[in-house]
Amino acid sequence: MSTERGATYGEVFAVREFRVLFGSFALLVAGDSIKMLALSVLVYAQTGSPGLSAAAYMAGWLPYIAGGMFLLSLADRLPPRAVMVVGELVRVVVCLLLAFAGLPVWAMLALVLVTGLFSPVFGAARSALLPDVLPGDAFVLGRSLLGVTSAGAQVAGLAVGGAFLAVAGPHGALAATAGLSALAALLLRYGLPYRPARQTGAGGQGAVRTTVRVNRLLLADPRVRGLLLASWLPPLCLAGAEAMIVPYLGGQGQAGVVLAAAAVGMAVGEFAVGRFAAPALRERLSLPLAALLGIPWLGFLAAPGAGWAAAIAATAAAGLAYQLGLQRRFVDAVPEEVRGQAFGLLSTGLMTGQAIGAALIGVLGELFSPRLAIVAAGGAAILVALALSRALRPETVLSLEALGKREEGIAP
């Protein structure tokens, strides 16, 4: 697969290992969507509390920051196939316990929170394996396909989850999720070849100490730090704008249509840029596409209705394709020995940043109005893109100084 002309989606799908990763990822995203929806319904049925129900829906993501700060080195210190299979088996056990163990609400939430600490490790192992399976530009297209899959699988998972809830109730939906995870575990175990761990040791240091040390060194590297911030901050603003859609529309069902349009826009943007833009063009598009995450939201100055709001949300979310222009550079910037942890740190920052963005713009919505908060989120996204323009623009030559930092400063 030539990196000069760019790979094609057909070439990417021709790689058997990628098809295994692709299928297991689709099962993972759909299963997690069903699980969190079913858990939320189950908690509400037992307590009648909207607050606890919402907490149950978010419980799977809350531990991400702790796991990302203290456990990510495990993604490089253990064989990747084993890490991913264990992750799926943990989900099987958790779902079966939630469905049939008769746990009280506090125990269900504690179970999800504790096991969720390892979610960043499982995801990091998958992300770090992808450049090995798809070298060069094919890796970027693989990430594009996984992004499209994530949007589609979330929508499908919620739809299937709703159907299971209607037919079999939350216990049946959780059991179905366990089945999806078991299928994914089998697919990974027998579809992927064995690959050894990237690190055979870490100087006698434990996983927590190694994770903290390598996170610090990654963030201290100017090139890596710039790419991380460029990946984290623009989506933070987008998440803040999307968080205000429900209060803007007065809690009406139209908000679901707008948010679904955003998911479609994200998928279309990822596919279009991945499919039709050459590798060099994708990198040049990173800055304007990052700005696109904010520009459409300024249209809320005109107080649009649900139809125009959906068009605005879809257009803005299409800008998330800017991240495709950063993917190759990120792989090149981090040492191979800590690639798993680097991708885990990237995902942890994305998850945490989106929660922070929703909270910050939510405060503005309380102080002023949801409409003005959405406009502020759009303006912030534009300013962030301009402030990060150096990291978002393509690089020309990697300096000898940067190479020296990678060799001496980060590698364990």
Side-chain angles (χ1 to χ4, degrees), residues 25-38:
F25 180 72
L27 292 171
L28 165 67
V29 176
D32 271 355
S33 298
I34 297 172
K35 181 185 77 173
M36 301 318 299
L37 178 61

Side-chain angles (χ1 to χ4, degrees), residues 17 107 147 160 180 189 216 249 256 262 292 305 412:
E17 287 182 70
V160 172
L180 291 178
R189 173 60 183 83
R216 186 183 300 119
L249 292 173
L292 182 64

Side-chain angles (χ1 to χ4, degrees), residues 13 15 22 32 46 64 74 79 106 120 156 177 181 218 220 245 270 273 287 321 325 328 355 391 401 405:
F13 264 112
V15 179
F22 179 87
D32 271 355
Q46 290 191 19
Y64 233 83
L74 293 173
W106 68 266
T177 303
S181 294
L218 286 168
I245 291 297
E270 292 254 2
V273 173
L287 178 57
R328 179 197 59 80
E401 180 185 358
K405 286 182 180 179

Side-chain angles (χ1 to χ4, degrees), residues 31-183:
D32 271 355
S33 298
I34 297 172
K35 181 185 77 173
M36 301 318 299
L37 178 61
L39 178 61
S40 178
V41 171
L42 187 60
V43 169
Y44 185 74
Q46 290 191 19
T47 66
S49 168
L52 283 175
S53 178
Y57 189 78
M58 294 300 295
W61 291 284
L62 291 177
Y64 233 83
I65 185 169
M69 289 174 61
F70 300 116
L71 298 173
L72 279 176
S73 64
L74 293 173
D76 294 308
R77 299 172 73 172
L78 298 171
R81 185 182 68 182
V83 172
M84 289 185 284
V85 170
V86 168
E88 297 299 340
L89 295 178
V90 167
R91 292 186 185 93
V92 171
V93 173
V94 169
C95 290
L96 292 178
L97 287 174
L98 292 173
F100 303 117
L103 299 175
V105 170
W106 68 266
M108 288 192 289
L109 295 180
L111 177 65
V112 173
L113 287 170
V114 170
T115 55
L117 291 172
F118 296 92
S119 294
V121 179
F122 305 145
R126 184 188 307 272
S127 296
L129 182 60
L130 197 59
D132 294 330
V133 173
L134 299 173
D137 183 59
F139 160 72
V140 180
L141 288 195
R143 293 281 289 189
S144 168
L145 285 169
L146 293 183
V148 174
T149 302
S150 178
Q154 286 181 54
V155 174
L158 291 173
V160 172
F164 268 105
L165 285 169
V167 174
H171 298 90
L174 287 167
T177 303
L180 291 178
S181 294
L183 179 59

Side-chain angles (χ1 to χ4, degrees), residues 4 11 55 72 79 86 101 147 152 198 230 242 258 263 300 303 308 341 355 366 372 375 384 397:
E4 293 182 358
E11 290 172 325
L72 279 176
V86 168
R198 287 183 173 78
E242 291 180 344
V258 175
F300 272 74
W308 280 110
Q341 179 160 343
E366 289 285 342
L372 293 179
V375 173
V384 163
V397 178

Side-chain angles (χ1 to χ4, degrees), residues 352-371:
T352 306
Q354 290 178 72
I356 292 173
L360 291 177
I361 301 302
V363 171
L364 290 180
E366 289 285 342
L367 294 175
F368 301 100
S369 70
R371 180 175 67 88

Side-chain angles (χ1 to χ4, degrees), residues 220-255:
D221 184 293
R223 187 180 183 219
V224 177
R225 183 175 63 247
L227 290 169
L228 286 172
L229 291 174
S231 299
W232 292 343
L233 296 183
L236 179 153
C237 302
L238 177 68
E242 291 180 344
M244 287 291 98
I245 291 297
V246 171
Y248 172 76
L249 292 173
Q252 303 174 40
Q254 294 169 320

